[in-house]
């Protein structure tokens, strides 16, 4: 009988240890991976999202802005599409932060897109190539010439207004410290985050970035994996609209992926496990 009780005790103990491991794993930050599919063209179309049907895609929500990030490459350039529901607001800045070496520690490169509105109510786009210094939360304009190009396009798709920022960034440049450097696509991964600043309201938000003002902290950045011609994405020429609702949830520092346990739930679970273990131990001792 005693031997039977020992077996039961060991079995329950093993289950408790397994539960602790699983609980710890659920609470850990989930790394988001985006595949940058290979494509032969950059962006040239003026129709809907035809240019981005072969791209990797992930949805985001920042400070009330709902959108999608598209990623693709052609072995020479990285192409990024930042799609946002609705027309742009004047005096808003979008900044793309890039962790070049994907060490999940600090971003080296940043691309800034600033939207302004002139007296004729026309939207204008200004770009700036920036970089971060180690442990300095503020970006600085890169002294070298801009190594990327970008444009803004406003269009109607499935009856809704959309804005898309389309960027082309060389995979390698002569500015080794501050620009994107991807010498071998088959072996390279880079980290990326996206920030938005409403300059009139003096508010800001981040997707996958650090808490203000430490946007360059790349510990939570999404990871871009580069694919070659053998992994080319099959275009989807008939699709539903990307999104049509302006009701969003700000996925900032406190946002939790669906299914993740909160800190309160984990502490309750650990307390229950501790009590159960203590009771079983006392029974075994008796």
């Amino acid at each position: 009988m005693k031997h039977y009780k020992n077996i039961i005790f060991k079995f329950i103990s093993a289950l408790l240890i397994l539960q602790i491991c699983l609980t710890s794993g659920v609470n850990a930050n989930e790394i988001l991976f985006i595949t940058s599919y290979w494509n032969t063209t950059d962006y040239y179309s003026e129709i809907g999202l035809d240019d981005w049907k072969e791209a990797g895609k992930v949805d985001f929500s920042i400070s009330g802005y709902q959108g999608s990030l598209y990623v693709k490459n052609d072995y020479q350039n990285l192409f990024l599409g930042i799609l946002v529901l609705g027309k742009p607001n004047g005096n808003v800045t979008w900044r793309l932060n890039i962790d070049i070496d994907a060490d999940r520690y600090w971003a080296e490169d940043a691309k800034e897109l600033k939207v302004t509105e002139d007296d004729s109510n026309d939207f204008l786009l200004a770009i700036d190539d920036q970089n971060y210094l180690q442990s300095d939360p503020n970006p600085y304009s890169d002294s070298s010439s801009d190594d990327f190009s970008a444009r803004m396009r406003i269009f109607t798709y499935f009856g809704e207004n959309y804005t898309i920022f389309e960027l082309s960034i060389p995979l390698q440049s002569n500015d080794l410290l501050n620009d994107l450097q991807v010498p071998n696509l088959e072996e390279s991964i880079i980290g990326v985050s996206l920030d938005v600043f409403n300059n009139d309201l003096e508010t800001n938000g981040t997707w996958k970035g650090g808490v203000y003002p430490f946007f360059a902290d790349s510990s939570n950045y999404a990871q871009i994996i580069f694919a070659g011609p053998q992994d080319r994405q099959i275009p989807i020429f008939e699709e539903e609209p990307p999104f049509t609702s302006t009701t969003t949830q700000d996925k900032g520092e406190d946002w939790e992926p669906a299914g993740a346990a909160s800190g309160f739930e984990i502490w309750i679970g650990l307390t229950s496990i501790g009590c159960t273990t203590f009771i079983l131990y006392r029974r075994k001792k008796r």
Side-chain angles (χ1 to χ4, degrees):
M1 184 68 177
K2 186 177 181 180
H3 178 69
Y4 178 74
K5 290 183 177 180
N6 286 337
I7 293 177
I8 295 178
F9 177 79
K10 291 179 180 179
F11 178 75
I12 295 177
S13 299
L15 289 179
L16 293 175
I17 293 173
L18 179 61
Q19 184 175 353
I20 292 174
C21 294
L22 292 176
T23 304
S24 300
V26 167
N27 194 47
N29 284 335
E30 295 183 355
I31 301 177
L32 175 63
F33 292 97
I34 313 171
T35 301
S36 175
Y37 289 103
W38 184 81
N39 196 349
T40 56
T41 59
D42 53 9
Y43 50 83
Y44 64 91
S45 175
E46 298 291 339
I47 303 174
L49 295 172
D50 289 349
D51 294 343
W52 301 99
K53 295 186 184 299
E54 294 178 311
K57 173 192 171 186
V58 62
D59 296 331
F60 64 80
S61 181
I62 312 173
S63 299
Y65 293 96
Q66 185 180 4
S68 296
L69 177 65
Y70 293 87
V71 186
K72 63 182 181 180
N73 70 89
D74 66 355
Y75 261 44
Q76 293 183 333
N77 299 280
L78 172 66
F79 304 111
L80 295 164
I82 303 172
L83 180 69
V84 184
L85 177 62
K87 294 183 178 180
N89 294 326
N91 206 18
V92 172
T93 299
W94 295 79
R95 188 171 66 216
L96 199 71
N97 305 310
I98 302 175
D99 180 10
I100 296 175
D101 51 12
D103 59 359
R104 303 199 71 200
Y105 181 65
W106 200 259
E108 296 85 5
D109 193 9
K111 312 299 183 186
E112 185 176 270
L113 313 172
K114 185 175 182 180
V115 180
T116 58
E117 191 173 0
D118 61 16
D119 296 335
S120 302
N121 295 325
D122 292 328
F123 294 105
L124 306 175
L125 179 66
I127 67 173
D128 186 16
D129 198 2
Q130 299 179 336
N131 65 78
Y132 288 97
L133 301 178
Q134 191 74 29
S135 300
D136 190 339
N138 301 305
Y140 297 90
S141 292
D142 196 337
S143 57
S144 303
S145 59
D146 292 342
D147 77 314
F148 78 106
S149 61
R151 73 170 183 175
M152 176 178 60
R153 184 161 55 93
I154 304 170
F155 62 97
T156 301
Y157 195 53
F158 285 91
E160 297 284 345
N161 292 322
Y162 291 91
T163 301
I164 189 168
F165 304 99
E166 299 171 309
L167 297 85
S168 175
I169 307 174
L171 293 176
Q172 295 188 71
S173 79
N174 294 327
D175 191 351
L176 301 180
L177 293 178
N178 305 315
D179 286 340
L180 185 62
Q181 301 295 329
V182 184
N184 188 336
L185 272 71
E186 304 295 336
E187 301 177 357
S188 298
I189 298 177
I190 65 171
V192 63
S193 74
L194 186 62
D195 306 322
V196 61
F197 303 88
N198 190 316
N199 303 318
D200 288 332
L201 301 178
E202 297 183 350
T203 59
N204 62 81
T206 184
W207 175 78
K208 291 296 179 181
V211 182
Y212 173 83
F214 300 99
F215 299 106
D217 178 4
S218 62
S219 59
N220 194 43
Y221 279 24
Q223 306 290 299
I224 295 178
I225 302 175
F226 295 94
Q230 71 278 6
D231 301 313
R232 189 169 185 176
Q233 175 82 316
I234 300 175
I236 303 174
F237 292 106
E238 294 183 4
E239 59 179 11
E240 296 295 327
F243 35 75
T244 56
S245 173
T246 56
T247 302
T248 62
Q249 177 186 14
D250 189 6
K251 299 181 180 179
E253 176 68 13
D254 297 328
W255 177 75
E256 294 175 349
S262 67
F264 177 77
E265 292 170 339
I266 290 177
W267 278 111
I268 291 295
L270 292 176
T271 302
S272 301
I273 291 172
C275 293
T276 304
T277 304
F278 178 76
I279 293 173
L280 292 174
Y281 174 75
R282 291 299 299 268
R283 287 187 177 183
K284 179 178 184 299
K285 199 171 182 181
R286 292 175 183 175

